[in-house]
Amino acid sequence: MKEKSVNTMSGSPDEAERPPFCKIEVREGINWVNMCTFFYSSMASISALAFINAALPYLLVTFLHLKENEGTVTGTVLMWNEIVVILSSSLWGLISDYVGRKPIYVIGFILIGVSLMVHPLVTTVTELVITRVVFALGASASTAMLTSLLGDYPTTATRGRSAGIMGLMSGFGALIGVFVFLRIPSWLDMGARVDGQIMYWIAGGCLLMSASVLFGGLSDIASDHKHSTIFVTIKEGFLAAKNPRIALSYLASFAARGDAILITTFLSLWIQKYHTAHGSTPAEALAASGMVSGIAQTLAIVGAPFFGFGADYMSHTLCQGVAAAFAAAGYLWMFFIAAPTGVNIYLAACVVGVGEIGMIVTSQLLVAAEAPESVRGSVSGFFSLCGSAAILVCSKFGGWLFENWSWTGPFLLVALWNVVVFLCAISLYIYERRQLA
């Protein structure tokens, strides 16, 4: 596939007069509408991912009337969610290589929107698990296509800044999830159940409308390479890890998704349980958790461009190591906080926000930059698979730690994963520097 240079803001072919940071070089057949839609899709999908997990404690109390074992139920719901993601991620990558990224991306958004609309209608944990299965199918499709399009649309020279803008939009999406969707019950006064229903229906409606935006704005690109079986796809994604940078991206995906589940689920569960235990209403507790999560996502917006644009001028492995260092430090800080109130929780959330977005941006950039074009769909699917495996482990084991050891126990678990990524990234960076010497 040939590459050409197009300014994403104006589409002007005259690039010589514009400084590099104003340009995104894209491949032949891609225009500024496609790129803007791609960035929008990042914002819309993350808004749903941030919202659904942060709102789960509210749903458990308001709709299922749970008074205890919320950590265990949360872990079970997330476990089944990620089992489906693990089973479907590579399949979505395979199908997208045949039919193109666009139809899979649109289907993913439709599944997410429908699932959100049904969520407030559940009455049992079993029904909740079923609705999360539908959500998981959509989430795995959107995550795999987001990574694939990051490799398909921009050229190698400007993929870093594209990842930075994508991370910036993801941060805005997370803010929408926690500062808009999550706050709807606190703005209404129709009763906790009705307020919650409206919250989910508004979120679901936004995702369904976004599906139509993707349908009209994305370019339908299919890979020239065709796969024979799903097993070949999984094999190709696994064998691609012979490239140490792709192997590092898989490990970073594992840590990054663990980071995300902590921010959107166990952090919210901890804050909501604490505030409810101290006399707050479910809506007030939800708003308090949204405030801390929102601060983390605000700092993520600030940090995203630095990691993305910085990756165009420095080693991707070094960027990965820096992001892991921020994430490890932030989660270790949260682990030692006794109560989620006061300045400490907000400062820790700032560090966590920078680390979280850094891990997301640098891991996706690393896999997009290193994946061979012929197997990009397979590598993207396997990349998502690694992230899903992390959520599977974190949700079940983290839920057990939350219930049986400490409400901050899951933070220590994810902090240790980020320490491993940091050590691997810095070791690979040093090795590469020595090879070049």
Side-chain angles (χ1 to χ4, degrees), residues 1 20 22 55 81 84 108 123 126 204 211 243 249 267 301 308 313 316 330 351 372 376 435:
M1 190 180 293
C22 291
N81 183 103
V84 173
T123 57
T126 300
N243 179 337
S249 75
L267 177 61
I301 291 176
Y313 302 98
H316 292 172
V351 179
R376 182 167 288 137
Q435 291 295 106

Side-chain angles (χ1 to χ4, degrees), residues 247-283:
L248 177 62
S249 75
Y250 290 162
L251 181 62
S253 174
F254 190 91
R257 293 293 296 278
D259 293 349
I261 205 67
L262 259 291
I263 283 288
T264 58
T265 302
F266 287 107
L267 177 61
S268 295
L269 182 59
W270 175 34
I271 295 173
Q272 290 185 51
K273 280 183 68 70
Y274 178 87
H275 282 275
T276 301
H278 287 76
S280 298
T281 65

Side-chain angles (χ1 to χ4, degrees), residues 152-435:
D152 287 342
Y153 280 11
T155 64
T156 303
T158 57
R159 189 170 289 126
R161 69 192 67 173
S162 298
I165 297 173
M166 182 189 74
L168 186 68
M169 296 302 292
S170 296
F172 281 122
L175 287 181
I176 291 172
V178 299
F179 277 144
V180 178
F181 295 156
L182 279 185
R183 285 192 167 270
I184 290 174
S186 67
W187 297 336
L188 303 175
D189 190 20
M190 304 179 186
R193 189 177 185 88
V194 175
D195 294 346
Q197 289 176 334
I198 294 174
M199 173 179 69
Y200 276 101
W201 289 340
I202 290 176
C206 288
L207 267 291
L208 291 175
M209 288 189 293
S210 295
S212 64
V213 173
L214 268 61
F215 182 80
L218 291 178
S219 177
D220 198 355
I221 294 180
S223 173
D224 295 330
H225 182 74
K226 304 300 181 182
H227 304 280
S228 55
T229 66
I230 296 176
F231 299 104
V232 172
T233 302
I234 297 175
K235 179 181 178 181
E236 288 176 341
F238 181 78
L239 290 178
K242 291 180 179 179
N243 179 337
R245 286 191 163 200
I246 292 181
L248 177 62
S249 75
Y250 290 162
L251 181 62
S253 174
F254 190 91
R257 293 293 296 278
D259 293 349
I261 205 67
L262 259 291
I263 283 288
T264 58
T265 302
F266 287 107
L267 177 61
S268 295
L269 182 59
W270 175 34
I271 295 173
Q272 290 185 51
K273 280 183 68 70
Y274 178 87
H275 282 275
T276 301
H278 287 76
S280 298
T281 65
E284 291 170 342
L286 184 65
S289 70
M291 176 62 69
V292 177
S293 298
I295 289 174
Q297 300 305 333
T298 300
L299 267 291
I301 291 176
V302 174
F306 287 96
F307 285 104
F309 283 72
D312 281 342
Y313 302 98
M314 61 190 296
S315 169
H316 292 172
T317 54
L318 180 59
C319 286
Q320 189 72 76
V322 172
F326 271 101
Y331 285 114
L332 281 174
W333 192 347
M334 280 194 173
F335 171 69
F336 289 107
I337 293 177
T341 57
V343 68
N344 265 345
I345 190 65
Y346 297 119
L347 292 177
C350 291
V351 179
V352 163
V354 174
E356 180 204 7
I357 199 62
M359 290 296 292
I360 292 172
V361 169
T362 53
S363 62
Q364 290 184 329
L365 174 60
L366 198 58
V367 73
E370 299 296 326
E373 184 174 340
S374 61
V375 293
R376 182 167 288 137
S378 299
V379 172
S380 296
F382 199 87
F383 176 85
S384 299
L385 186 71
C386 292
S388 298
I391 295 181
L392 184 62
V393 174
C394 183
S395 60
K396 201 59 183 174
F397 188 43
W400 183 88
L401 290 173
F402 188 93
E403 290 289 347
N404 297 283
W405 182 42
S406 169
W407 286 356
T408 59
F411 303 134
L412 178 61
L413 177 65
V414 174
L416 294 177
W417 290 347
N418 283 282
V419 168
V420 172
V421 175
F422 169 76
L423 294 175
C424 291
I426 296 303
S427 297
L428 180 57
Y429 172 71
I430 294 173
Y431 172 78
E432 291 175 341
R433 294 284 294 180
R434 288 178 176 175
Q435 291 295 106

